[in-house]
Amino acid sequence: MDFIHTRYGLPLLQRLLREPEVESAFHKDLAELESEWRQFVCDNYLSHTITTAPATGSAEGAEELVILIPTASSGSFRNRAQLFQKHAQLFEKANPGVIVTIETFDHWGREMYLRRRLQRGEPVDLVLSNFYASLAQEGVYADLLPFYQADRMTTDDLYKTLADMTTVNGRLTGIPMSPQPLVLFYNKEWFDQMGLAYPSGAMTWQQYFEISKKLKTANRETGKAVYGSVTPFDMQFLETVALSNGLQVVSPDDTTLTGYIDAESVAEALKEVLDGINKGTSSKLVSNSMMPPFEELKSHNTGMAIGQAGMYFYLSKRRSDFGVAAIPKPAHGVQATSSYITTLSMIASSNKQQLAWKFMKDVILDGNSPFHEDWGKLELLTSKAAVHKLELHLDPDMKVLYEQLDYANKPVLYRNPRIRKINPSDLLRKLASSKSKKSMQRELSEAALQFDAYMETLT
């Protein structure tokens, strides 16, 4: 999509999402288009500046560890690379004769870049990136459990819900980092103006929409669009709504959607939330749980917003303005959230696995490592020992964020990465515009049948 958007513009991309007729849209045959796409990938993803931590001694005879980290011009991507650079240098000083090379690459096309690099046989020992279940299932990542066992360590210090996400066929394929459960952010000033108590615990959806109406009414501004709440509608949110109703969107063996995502109870749960948004103007529906909620909160356009937990660290400069609570749930439901993660994974083909493990163990897994103090200012930690050592659990907002990790669930994208075949963005757009539970269930059934038919071709 980046290729199409960059080379041919947004209108053509939108047309293809509606009508995927490639040759008629581009007026080119597939072979010509593929050649152009390959060149675009080489130009944009496969040639990036390498940043190497300064060696503490002579490079002659030194043992090198190569860590890949995606980066971008702003946000957490840039901060992550800089932080790893700092602690790579500390690791070098503690281990004379070791050189840690941090190589950064564009965060767009991360999975493709890694695949191509490994195909070319270029050295890679560790990768910090989004968790790619397809790579884990294919055996690209090494199993970390034998390393734990050899050092008589356990994974008890990791949040179990997060370790389960990176466990594939009994293999721990990465150290979970930067978890992103969904939470509720709220503007304290707006609540104060109404004399409303701050959200505590998980409110119900009915309470959420009732408060939204009050917040909007009390904070109207001439010439400015304001809302009582901002609610994302993406796959993470869809799964969270289902989970909080005690429902699953995929079969226990992760291969079938029919009878799960298209169940009447799932459609009913989604309709309850969408009705609350669509019946009135107090809640705004946005396309995802990242930048749109953040921008609305930052601009003081809304009294509440549901978004990924990582937003907190960018709103925290205005800590006196914002608070955080658990995401709403059904009146008779359970507290739950789907959560995405980043992982630090060891490459199975690396010939420096022992050195890679030492870096993981000393820098990332040691609860006393100075890494955690720095990382905890930018992201949620996944070492329980570090959370308590730094007393993060004593901060009211941080306490709420870390509590949500106990309710985190493995998203369907990690359980079966082939879920992309149903074009989730198109499905969500259709669901958001559905006028009835029946039409919503029909859209879910069509997507489920499409996915299940594809899975049958693989058996």
Side-chain angles (χ1 to χ4, degrees):
M1 289 202 300
D2 190 29
F3 161 65
I4 297 170
H5 189 195
T6 302
R7 289 288 177 86
Y8 293 94
L10 182 59
L12 183 59
L13 176 58
Q14 291 173 329
R15 174 185 167 185
L16 283 170
L17 291 175
R18 293 191 305 268
E19 305 168 8
E21 296 293 333
V22 176
E23 294 189 10
S24 62
F26 288 95
H27 304 292
K28 296 179 180 181
D29 61 36
L30 290 178
E32 183 182 2
L33 189 62
E34 181 180 3
S35 176
E36 186 177 339
W37 168 72
R38 288 183 183 278
Q39 186 61 50
F40 175 85
V41 171
C42 290
D43 292 343
N44 290 274
Y45 298 143
L46 304 182
S47 301
H48 291 272
T49 302
I50 296 175
T51 304
T52 305
T56 57
S58 171
E60 185 177 353
E63 190 173 15
E64 183 183 30
L65 182 70
V66 178
I67 305 176
L68 291 187
I69 301 179
T71 190
S73 59
S74 61
S76 62
F77 287 106
R78 181 194 63 215
N79 295 331
R80 290 174 182 178
Q82 292 175 346
L83 196 152
F84 260 74
Q85 183 73 47
K86 171 184 175 180
H87 289 276
Q89 293 176 7
L90 295 176
F91 183 77
E92 287 181 333
K93 291 178 181 178
N95 296 273
V98 169
I99 295 176
V100 180
T101 299
I102 306 291
E103 295 195 19
T104 61
F105 61 101
D106 198 303
H107 72 288
W108 294 106
R110 288 160 285 188
E111 183 177 357
M112 183 187 301
Y113 173 83
L114 180 57
R115 288 182 183 278
R116 293 293 296 273
R117 184 182 176 109
L118 293 173
Q119 288 172 1
R120 295 195 301 268
E122 296 178 11
V124 186
D125 302 304
L126 293 172
V127 178
L128 178 77
S129 189
N130 288 4
F131 179 60
Y132 291 112
S134 54
L135 296 178
Q137 291 175 1
E138 293 167 20
V140 172
Y141 302 142
D143 180 11
L144 300 179
L145 290 180
F147 294 93
Y148 271 92
Q149 293 163 359
D151 283 339
R152 297 185 178 182
M153 295 171 57
T154 71
T155 60
D156 292 348
D157 187 45
L158 301 175
Y159 285 87
K160 184 179 185 302
T161 55
L162 305 180
D164 286 347
M165 292 183 195
T166 68
T167 300
V168 177
N169 298 324
R171 302 168 66 252
L172 183 66
T173 62
I175 301 301
M177 302 179 70
S178 306
Q180 297 290 347
L182 291 181
V183 296
L184 174 69
F185 295 92
Y186 58 90
N187 185 312
K188 294 179 181 179
E189 182 181 346
W190 285 35
F191 275 77
D192 291 341
Q193 287 177 353
M194 286 295 296
L196 294 173
Y198 297 151
S200 176
M203 67 174 70
T204 66
W205 285 112
Q206 182 179 355
Q207 291 169 329
Y208 175 74
F209 292 119
E210 287 175 353
I211 292 173
S212 295
K213 294 175 184 176
K214 295 178 181 179
L215 291 174
K216 176 170 181 174
T217 300
N219 291 276
R220 295 183 185 276
E221 288 188 36
T222 303
K224 182 179 181 180
V226 298
Y227 301 90
S229 61
V230 169
T231 310
F233 195 61
D234 54 13
M235 279 301 293
Q236 185 177 11
F237 183 77
L238 183 154
E239 283 191 81
T240 296
V241 171
L243 290 164
S244 63
N245 279 273
L247 306 169
Q248 292 288 337
V249 299
V250 67
S251 62
D253 64 0
D254 304 331
T255 64
T256 306
L257 293 184
T258 300
Y260 295 90
I261 197 172
D262 62 342
E264 182 178 357
S265 51
V266 172
E268 189 172 337
L270 291 174
K271 188 174 185 302
E272 176 191 1
V273 176
L274 288 172
D275 279 352
I277 298 169
N278 296 327
K279 290 181 178 178
T281 59
S282 61
S283 188
K284 181 180 181 180
L285 189 70
V286 293
S287 61
N288 65 70
S289 53
M290 296 176 287
M291 287 306 297
F294 173 75
E295 290 296 335
E296 297 290 351
L297 283 165
K298 185 182 71 171
S299 303
H300 287 252
N301 293 336
T302 183
M304 298 184 292
I306 292 169
Q308 291 186 352
M311 286 166 43
Y312 174 81
F313 297 93
Y314 296 91
L315 290 171
S316 59
K317 295 175 183 178
R318 303 176 176 86
R319 285 194 62 176
S320 60
D321 296 346
F322 299 103
V324 63
I327 187 173
K329 64 182 183 66
H332 302 291
V334 297
Q335 194 170 344
T337 175
S338 173
S339 180
Y340 296 126
I341 52 171
T342 294
T343 56
L344 181 66
S345 295
M346 183 191 300
I347 299 300
S349 59
S350 166
N351 60 4
K352 302 288 179 58
Q353 289 192 357
Q354 288 300 327
L355 181 59
W357 171 246
K358 182 170 179 56
F359 182 91
M360 286 178 143
K361 185 174 63 172
D362 294 356
V363 178
I364 309 299
L365 296 175
D366 183 353
N368 294 312
S369 167
F371 172 85
H372 297 294
E373 184 172 0
D374 288 338
W375 192 261
K377 296 173 183 176
L378 303 173
E379 317 268 358
L380 289 180
L381 300 176
T382 52
S383 164
K384 290 183 282 189
V387 169
H388 284 267
K389 179 176 184 291
L390 297 171
E391 298 186 337
L392 297 177
H393 62 297
L394 300 181
D395 178 279
D397 288 338
M398 297 299 288
K399 182 175 184 291
V400 171
L401 293 174
Y402 281 107
E403 284 175 346
Q404 304 320 300
L405 300 185
D406 291 329
Y407 305 105
N409 284 260
K410 191 173 189 174
V412 66
L413 183 62
Y414 294 172
R415 295 171 64 178
N416 191 331
R418 295 185 177 92
I419 193 70
R420 293 190 183 98
K421 290 293 180 180
I422 68 171
N423 193 349
S425 297
D426 185 52
L427 171 62
L428 291 162
R429 179 179 58 80
K430 292 177 180 177
L431 291 174
S433 61
S434 295
K435 303 299 183 183
S436 67
K437 182 179 73 175
K438 185 176 181 180
S439 63
M440 189 174 290
Q441 191 173 5
R442 182 172 61 251
E443 297 295 349
L444 290 168
S445 292
E446 289 179 4
L449 288 170
Q450 176 190 345
F451 176 80
D452 292 350
Y454 169 73
M455 289 298 294
E456 287 182 8
T457 67
L458 302 179
T459 57

